[in-house]
Amino acid sequence: MKTPHPQPAQSVTAPRTISRVVPDPTALKALAHPVRLRMLGMLRVDGPATATQLAVRLGLNSGATSYHLRQLAQYGFIEEAPHPSRRDRWWRASHELTSVPASEAEGEALDLDLAFNQAALSLQVGQMQQALEEYTELPAEWRKASTASDIIISMTAEQAEALTRRLTDIILEAMQVAPPLGDLTPPDIIPFSIMLHAFPYPGRLPHRDGDGGS
């Protein structure tokens, strides 16, 4: 009888802790700006950069990017990054994720929630449009990994919340065993964007009246 050759052990990446920030209302107001959201995303995906580098990528002047960087730093979204160069100030993201729970309050808190989501949606739509423009040039394996799907399901608010939590947990589990964004990785590993939008089908719930009642 032949002795079977031992199979090589598969490498298993241990789950890592995903650093995240939950901004308070003042910080959320500072973040709810399309340029700041783009800058924060760039620092997370591509790693540390200077105001001048970000200005070139965003088509802005370095004075404008420096102002937005100071705002992000003031509220703890970014921090100075160690760098051999002393001529320029390098910045890096302080966290991998920004968590913004849906506001259960009314008035200004709800307005801030809406403003942030509007800024985030504007950024996401732009990224989706750019991805669509590049779609035909993607390698076949990445076209197969991409999707633009919408699925509508009848359910209660409690069931809908449970579903979105479950989907979010699955995505975070994948993130925990993936290399941190901005790190050097093999050529076959790239940032892969997943945008989760979940909402009641428009026009199916009664709108609020002018005094905030239902």
Side-chain angles (χ1 to χ4, degrees), residues 28-39 67-68 115-116 119-120:
L28 185 61
K29 185 176 182 180
L31 184 61
H33 189 289
V35 171
R36 290 173 202 158
L37 282 175
R38 287 186 66 190
M39 292 172 65
Y67 170 75
H68 290 305
F116 173 80

Side-chain angles (χ1 to χ4, degrees), residues 3-214:
T3 303
H5 293 289
Q7 296 296 319
Q10 294 184 344
S11 61
V12 178
T13 303
R16 59 187 179 84
T17 300
I18 304 298
S19 59
R20 66 173 72 194
V21 58
V22 181
D24 62 25
T26 303
L28 185 61
K29 185 176 182 180
L31 184 61
H33 189 289
V35 171
R36 290 173 202 158
L37 282 175
R38 287 186 66 190
M39 292 172 65
L40 180 57
M42 288 176 176
L43 293 175
R44 284 177 174 170
V45 173
D46 299 318
T50 67
T52 301
Q53 292 170 337
L54 291 170
V56 172
R57 295 168 62 185
L58 291 166
L60 301 172
N61 61 66
S62 57
T65 53
S66 293
Y67 170 75
H68 290 305
L69 285 169
R70 289 195 299 270
Q71 291 295 305
L72 290 171
Q74 179 179 345
Y75 295 101
F77 296 108
I78 65 173
E79 59 193 12
E80 286 196 61
H83 197 273
S85 173
R86 296 185 177 182
R87 293 182 55 190
D88 298 304
R89 202 175 187 182
W90 289 74
W91 297 95
R92 66 185 178 191
S94 303
H95 313 85
E96 293 183 74
L97 284 178
T98 302
S99 294
V100 182
S103 175
E104 297 183 4
E106 303 294 335
E108 185 178 2
L110 188 57
D111 291 340
L112 284 174
D113 193 1
L114 178 61
F116 173 80
N117 280 287
Q118 185 63 58
L121 179 61
S122 177
L123 176 63
Q124 292 162 2
V125 169
Q127 291 175 340
M128 292 171 66
Q129 183 62 48
Q130 184 177 353
L132 184 60
E133 293 168 359
E134 297 176 359
Y135 180 77
T136 58
E137 301 174 1
L138 293 177
E141 61 267 26
W142 284 109
R143 291 200 303 272
K144 289 172 64 177
S146 303
T147 184
S149 305
D150 67 296
I151 300 170
I152 303 170
I153 310 170
S154 297
M155 54 178 53
T156 66
E158 291 75 15
Q159 291 171 330
E161 182 181 0
L163 178 59
T164 55
R165 287 183 181 276
R166 183 180 175 191
L167 293 173
T168 301
D169 287 343
I170 291 172
I171 295 169
L172 289 178
E173 288 172 8
M175 190 175 187
Q176 287 173 337
V177 297
L181 291 170
D183 282 9
L184 293 176
T185 57
D188 62 334
I189 297 180
I190 65 169
F192 186 69
S193 182
I194 301 169
M195 300 179 186
L196 179 59
H197 296 273
F199 47 86
Y201 194 83
R204 297 307 171 97
L205 288 174
H207 290 199
R208 299 172 182 272
D209 58 29
D211 61 6
S214 56

